[in-house]
Amino acid sequence: MPSRLLVDVGQTGTRLRIESDAAETIDDDTVGVRPGSHPESYLAQVAHETLSRHQVRVDTVAAGLSGLQGAGGDAESVLDRLVGFGVTHVVLADDAVTGYLAALALAPGVVLSVGTGVVALATTGDQALARVNGWGHLLGDDGGGYWIGRAGLHAALCAFDGRGPRTLLLDAAAARIGPAQEIGVTLQLDPDRVRTIAAFAKDVLDLAAGGDRVATEIRAAAAAELARNADAAARRAGDAAGGQIPVSWSGSLLTAQPVLREALQLELARLDSRYLLTPPGGTQLDGARLLTDLPATHPLAALVRRASSDS
């Protein structure tokens, strides 16, 4: 098989895997891409560092990138920077595409990519495609990690002020970020504030699992937003079969948080009894591997960009 570097570039972290016949599989990870950065430049940098560190040459680089907002990405620029490592093919897509492939492979359905942000992708047997949300933390990504984390911190500060009900979120916010009266300034000065706020989503969902009323309300609101994203994508793509519609997910937030999955399942059933919440079949890196052999006739192919030094 060809040697490959598979990459999943997220906002909170980046995962890499080197696969080849010549050596055993090598897994690596590093920090994620910052909001506002150029994801292709970041990918080229981390790929260069990883291949140099492990002293490996590969034929193909396949990656899903956060920050492309549906675009396929500049595969040519990445190839130009990696030819010294033997790379002859680069395949890029938004990480929502690799998330879809990880969850449902080539099958029709809906996939929610839920991390710091949120994207819903839907495909049908009639080759239709719809993409919903992914507008970033300022204008969208409703129900994602940043959205949940911000809601939790807002509730914590409301409790501190006496503007809202008491909640254990206040103690959790102080433990993670610092004294309540300093949280606002601390976050304003934090260059990684988006990640810091998104990380608080775990505290919110843990407290929801423990019965904190305010955290439970945030969880329910997040699940409703996620369900609306999935429903909008499914309706825009259309339903050729007319039967059950698989809804799966990618990202650690839903994988690691049963309380959010359970709430999502209830919200999906409320919207349409045909929705069937389906566990993902693989990881984002599995999705990147499938990206290399994605048929040109598949609807997701329109969101993929390729570059080759052989052409």
Side-chain angles (χ1 to χ4, degrees):
M1 72 174 185
S3 55
R4 296 180 287 209
L5 173 63
L6 309 175
V7 191
D8 168 35
V9 176
Q11 294 183 51
T12 55
T14 295
R15 289 145 293 278
L16 307 98
R17 176 173 297 160
I18 300 170
E19 297 181 341
S20 71
D21 283 337
E24 62 183 57
T25 297
I26 300 172
D27 287 317
D28 209 342
D29 58 65
T30 185
V31 298
V33 61
R34 287 185 176 180
S37 300
H38 294 288
E40 296 96 334
S41 296
Y42 175 79
L43 168 64
Q45 174 190 331
V46 297
H48 189 287
E49 292 172 354
T50 300
L51 295 172
S52 296
R53 183 167 59 255
H54 294 289
Q55 298 184 331
V56 174
R57 293 169 65 85
V58 296
D59 304 318
T60 301
V61 173
L65 307 179
S66 176
L68 291 180
Q69 295 192 328
D74 184 358
E76 290 284 355
S77 69
V78 176
L79 178 61
D80 288 344
R81 294 177 60 178
L82 296 177
V83 290
F85 293 96
V87 177
T88 57
H89 301 280
V90 171
V91 190
L92 303 184
D94 188 299
D95 62 346
V97 175
T98 50
Y100 187 106
L101 293 171
L104 293 181
L106 303 182
V110 184
V111 175
L112 287 161
S113 292
V114 185
T116 300
V118 175
V119 176
L121 276 181
T123 72
T124 72
D126 285 348
Q127 306 303 304
L129 169 69
R131 183 180 190 275
V132 167
N133 217 325
W135 299 120
H137 69 281
L138 294 177
L139 299 175
D141 291 347
D142 315 72
Y146 179 88
W147 189 97
I148 294 172
R150 185 195 179 281
L153 290 170
H154 178 261
L157 295 180
C158 284
F160 178 75
D161 285 341
R163 294 180 290 133
R166 292 182 180 179
T167 171
L168 292 174
L169 289 167
L170 180 55
D171 293 334
R176 183 176 286 274
I177 300 173
Q181 62 269 28
E182 299 176 10
I183 286 176
V185 172
T186 298
L187 290 174
Q188 288 177 34
L189 297 175
D190 183 357
D192 286 332
R193 67 182 69 89
V194 173
R195 293 177 193 162
T196 302
I197 293 171
F200 193 62
K202 180 182 184 300
D203 300 82
V204 175
L205 295 173
D206 284 346
L207 288 173
D212 183 270
R213 182 171 66 85
V214 176
T216 299
E217 291 172 354
I218 294 172
R219 177 203 63 176
E225 294 291 350
L226 293 176
R228 277 194 283 270
N229 282 302
D231 183 57
R235 286 186 289 103
R236 284 181 51 193
D239 180 21
Q244 282 190 324
I245 304 171
V247 177
S248 192
W249 69 87
S250 69
S252 60
L253 198 61
L254 278 165
T255 298
Q257 296 290 348
V259 293
L260 186 57
R261 290 201 308 274
E262 292 161 4
L264 174 59
Q265 190 166 23
L266 291 173
E267 288 294 331
L268 287 169
R270 185 180 63 80
L271 290 172
D272 193 322
S273 61
R274 295 176 299 165
Y275 291 137
L276 177 65
L277 192 61
T278 305
T283 68
Q284 289 277 142
L285 291 176
D286 296 322
R289 185 188 303 107
L290 288 172
L291 197 65
T292 61
D293 300 316
L294 183 67
T297 55
H298 194 276
L300 290 175
L303 304 179
V304 178
R305 296 293 180 271
R306 300 174 184 271
S308 173
S309 60
D310 296 339
S311 58

